[in-house]
Amino acid sequence: MTTIAFIRHGVTAWNKEGRAQGKTDVPLDEEGILMAERVAERMEKEHWDVIYTSPLIRAKRTAEIIAEKLPEINFNTDIRLGEIGGGLIEGTTEQERVDKWGLNWREQDMGFEKEDVIIARGLSFIEDIQKAHRGKKVIVVSHGGFLARVFNALIPGGEFSNDIGNTSVTIVELKDEKNHCHLFNCMKHLEMREV
């Protein structure tokens, strides 16, 4: 059995503006850094063996802040953990998309990364984690859109929300017979102090 704590990156200015980020490399804002510090304080209360992160700066910086509290942890970057490619809509708000492409913009070819490609890279990463870290506790820092799809692929029928909170923690046990989600989208660490 391998235990994974999936963590979404801290908040960015684009998150607050409702801009699609996708593969665009947007940094954490000041609040996002504080959120990352809160989740790091939460994770340091437990033993973790290794951390993997998306190479995009908002996730990587969140992972670095967590790793600072876990000095013995092995730190890795994996491109498969990157956010879903948003094609033409990256950097735009909903209103800007409607203004540019009309109300039915979702029905048009916007160049999004294909669903089967997203799931395949997510499950490829998970398979490698299971082989390399059997019986270990792994932290994975990634992105909301990507994580929502991975959760639904790992726990069929789980019907997980696509609304994954910034710095939320989701704990999944990977088992040979059936994966189990112990905790979903938990942000109690943000209640400890004002962010």
Side-chain angles (χ1 to χ4, degrees):
M1 178 184 76
T2 304
T3 302
I4 302 184
F6 293 97
I7 300 173
R8 185 184 176 197
H9 61 80
V11 77
T12 70
W14 278 23
N15 285 138
K16 293 174 180 175
E17 294 166 11
R19 293 190 182 280
Q21 294 181 115
K23 300 280 188 192
T24 305
D25 215 1
V26 183
L28 298 177
D29 67 8
E30 189 174 320
E31 181 182 0
I33 291 169
L34 290 173
M35 292 170 80
E37 289 170 353
R38 296 297 90 77
V39 76
E41 289 168 6
R42 174 182 183 166
M43 302 311 286
E44 80 172 324
K45 294 182 171 94
E46 302 173 15
H47 171 77
W48 295 94
D49 298 295
V50 61
I51 189 166
Y52 284 85
T53 181
S54 156
L56 293 172
I57 193 64
R58 59 193 183 269
K60 189 174 181 193
R61 184 67 193 120
T62 301
E64 288 168 349
I65 291 168
I66 294 168
E68 287 166 11
K69 294 283 188 181
L70 303 166
E72 302 300 315
I73 202 162
N74 187 350
F75 191 94
N76 303 276
T77 302
D78 195 306
I79 197 167
R80 293 174 292 182
L81 297 174
E83 181 59 295
I84 297 165
L88 297 175
I89 74 162
E90 289 192 16
T92 66
T93 64
E94 175 70 20
Q95 188 58 55
E96 288 168 347
R97 293 190 282 277
V98 169
D99 291 346
K100 187 168 185 174
W101 297 294
L103 287 171
N104 70 338
W105 67 266
R106 285 182 184 82
E107 298 164 24
Q108 300 171 44
D109 182 3
M110 294 284 130
F112 295 144
E113 184 177 1
K114 303 290 185 215
E115 199 76 15
D116 60 336
V117 172
I118 299 162
I119 299 299
R121 69 177 163 93
L123 293 181
S124 165
F125 170 79
I126 295 297
E127 187 177 305
D128 288 350
I129 289 300
Q130 284 181 289
K131 288 177 187 169
H133 304 291
R134 186 166 291 277
K136 300 293 185 185
K137 294 181 71 179
V138 180
I139 295 173
V140 171
V141 182
S142 188
H143 307 268
F146 174 75
L147 289 176
R149 284 158 178 84
V150 169
F151 298 154
N152 283 300
L154 283 178
I155 319 279
E159 297 179 14
F160 295 98
S161 163
N162 285 333
D163 187 18
I164 309 298
N166 288 100
T167 71
S168 66
V169 178
T170 296
I171 308 264
V172 175
E173 281 185 357
L174 304 177
K175 298 182 177 180
D176 293 333
E177 62 281 359
K178 185 179 180 184
N179 299 323
H180 182 70
C181 182
H182 283 284
L183 185 70
F184 176 69
N185 205 24
C186 180
M187 293 179 282
K188 69 179 182 183
H189 50 277
L190 299 180
E191 299 166 8
M192 294 179 198
R193 284 184 262 169
E194 282 296 313
V195 172

